[in-house]
């Protein structure tokens, strides 16, 4: 009796086969690369909503992307789904010597340190601790990754007051910037400094910004409900008053 994963792989082979689906046959790794991100983000939405039914469905959509990419690679003679599963299984075993071997660890911190050490051994071509950071992730997530990796190497502020002064100095440099290019560069420095401030306070900057986005959306929609005239006709003072009302309503 076939397992569900075997049935899924067979379905994908049929869809990509000669008598399958024209759309599926035409796809390449690059043509569907955005789908991988979209499905992963939808799975994150389900996790944030604590919606297990939705998460089950979205994880299936993520798995579909893996299966489709693996089939495309198989059709082109590079690798197949079994190779993908085998590679990650070997990696998991190698990076957990405290489980699958006789390595002793004291705590999670030591486990993560071993993970990074083994990861570097697997990729000797990477000369810098900052090599290997994905270029496709959001700039905010990338900044967090860069910051964490630099800290692991010992590049860290001595205390939070130093970090706060760094943030203030970046704002000062932004205010004194003369050209648009300088302003853009200095604004980027502000964001990077704030990412470090978030990390110091054990805050996920990406998640924090998402929360702020959703809060703004909720309050803005409430303003649309409360206003008695078109928003584009409001004066600045009316906007302020409406925002205060919306904020109070959303807090109830």
């Amino acid at each position: 009796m076939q397992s569900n994963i075997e049935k899924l792989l067979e379905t994908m082979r049929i869809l990509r086969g000669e008598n399958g689906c024209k759309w599926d046959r035409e796809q390449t790794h690059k043509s569907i690369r955005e789908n991988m991100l979209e499905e992963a983000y939808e799975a994150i939405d389900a996790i944030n909503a604590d919606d297990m039914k939705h998460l089950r469905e979205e994880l299936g959509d993520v798995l579909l992307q893996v299966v489709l990419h693996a089939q495309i690679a198989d059709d082109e003679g590079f690798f197949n789904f079994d190779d993908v599963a085998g590679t990650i299984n070997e990696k998991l075993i190698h990076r957990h010597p405290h489980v699958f071997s006789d390595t002793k660890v004291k705590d999670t911190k030591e486990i993560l340190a071993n993970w990074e050490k083994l990861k570097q051994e697997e990729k000797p071509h990477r000369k810098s601790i900052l090599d290997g950071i994905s270029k496709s992730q959001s700039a905010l997530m990338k900044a967090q990754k860069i910051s964490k990796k630099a800290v692991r190497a010992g590049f860290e502020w001595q205390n939070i007051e130093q970090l706060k002064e760094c943030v203030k100095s970046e704002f000062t440099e932004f205010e004194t910037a003369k050209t648009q290019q300088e302003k853009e560069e200095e604004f980027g420095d502000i964001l990077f400094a704030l990412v470090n401030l978030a990390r110091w306070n054990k805050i996920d900057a990406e998640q924090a910004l998402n929360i702020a986005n959703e809060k703004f959306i909720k309050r803005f929609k409430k303003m649309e409900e409360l206003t008695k005239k078109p928003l584009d006709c409001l004066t600045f003072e009316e906007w302020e008053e409406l925002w205060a009302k919306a904020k109070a309503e959303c807090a109830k």
Side-chain angles (χ1 to χ4, degrees):
M1 183 176 179
Q2 281 187 317
S3 66
N4 285 330
I5 190 66
E6 288 172 329
K7 292 177 182 177
L8 175 59
L9 293 173
E10 179 61 24
T11 297
M12 184 53 66
R13 281 193 289 270
I14 293 172
L15 289 172
R16 287 274 302 174
E18 184 178 349
N19 298 314
C21 172
K22 187 174 185 296
W23 183 89
D24 287 285
R25 291 200 308 273
E26 291 177 348
Q27 299 317 303
T28 66
H29 293 300
K30 289 185 177 180
S31 72
I32 57 171
R33 58 188 166 186
E34 299 302 323
N35 297 27
M36 180 76 81
L37 282 174
E38 290 173 7
E39 300 301 354
Y41 281 129
E42 288 180 14
I44 294 299
D45 286 342
I47 292 172
N48 290 339
D50 290 321
D51 188 337
M52 292 301 102
K53 181 179 179 181
H54 190 203
L55 179 58
R56 175 181 173 178
E57 178 184 348
E58 295 305 334
L59 288 176
D61 290 341
V62 173
L63 178 58
L64 168 60
Q65 296 307 308
V66 176
V67 169
L68 180 50
H69 277 284
Q71 187 60 52
I72 292 172
D74 191 10
D75 294 340
E76 295 174 350
F78 292 106
F79 59 82
N80 58 29
F81 183 84
D82 191 62
D83 295 325
V84 174
T87 299
I88 188 59
N89 186 55
E90 289 174 5
K91 184 185 293 185
L92 284 172
I93 293 173
H94 182 243
R95 294 189 187 177
H96 290 83
H98 56 287
V99 176
F100 299 102
S101 187
D102 55 2
T103 300
K104 303 298 180 184
V105 292
K106 297 177 182 178
D107 49 30
T108 302
K109 184 177 181 181
E110 198 166 315
I111 290 173
L112 293 176
N114 282 344
W115 178 283
E116 287 299 322
K117 181 182 177 181
L118 291 167
K119 187 175 180 180
Q120 288 177 15
E121 291 176 359
E122 294 169 0
K123 304 178 187 297
H125 59 283
R126 293 181 180 176
K127 303 304 179 184
S128 168
I129 195 170
L130 298 182
D131 286 343
I133 296 175
S134 172
K135 297 178 181 179
S136 299
Q137 59 188 323
S138 73
L140 193 57
M141 293 177 69
K142 186 177 181 181
Q144 289 187 128
K145 192 75 172 181
I146 292 171
S147 177
K148 289 177 181 177
K149 279 183 170 287
V151 168
R152 290 197 194 109
F155 190 63
E156 176 67 295
W157 280 269
Q158 292 178 309
N159 54 65
I160 195 170
E161 294 307 318
Q162 289 180 332
L163 181 48
K164 288 179 180 177
E165 285 303 314
C166 174
V167 173
K168 291 177 183 177
S169 69
E170 297 300 351
F171 272 98
T172 300
E173 291 180 18
F174 175 74
E175 290 173 352
T176 57
K178 294 180 174 58
T179 67
Q180 186 64 27
Q181 182 177 343
E182 288 176 349
K183 289 178 181 179
E184 183 175 328
E185 182 177 337
E186 296 304 337
F187 187 74
D189 289 344
I190 291 173
L191 292 176
F192 193 83
L194 289 174
V195 164
N196 278 280
L197 184 62
R199 176 187 54 75
W200 189 282
N201 287 279
K202 295 180 172 56
I203 294 171
D204 184 312
E206 182 84 11
Q207 180 67 8
L209 183 55
N210 277 327
I211 291 172
N213 288 340
E214 292 305 314
K215 186 190 298 182
F216 182 88
I217 290 171
K218 184 178 180 181
R219 290 175 179 175
F220 195 89
K221 287 182 176 180
K222 180 56 67 173
M223 286 196 299
E224 291 175 319
E225 293 176 16
L226 294 173
T227 186
K228 291 181 171 57
K229 59 181 181 179
L231 290 174
D232 56 3
C233 294
L234 297 177
T235 63
F236 179 77
E237 290 72 20
E238 289 173 323
W239 270 112
E240 282 196 309
E241 183 181 352
L242 190 58
W243 176 261
K245 288 181 180 178
K247 187 175 179 180
E249 284 288 324
C250 290
K252 293 180 180 178

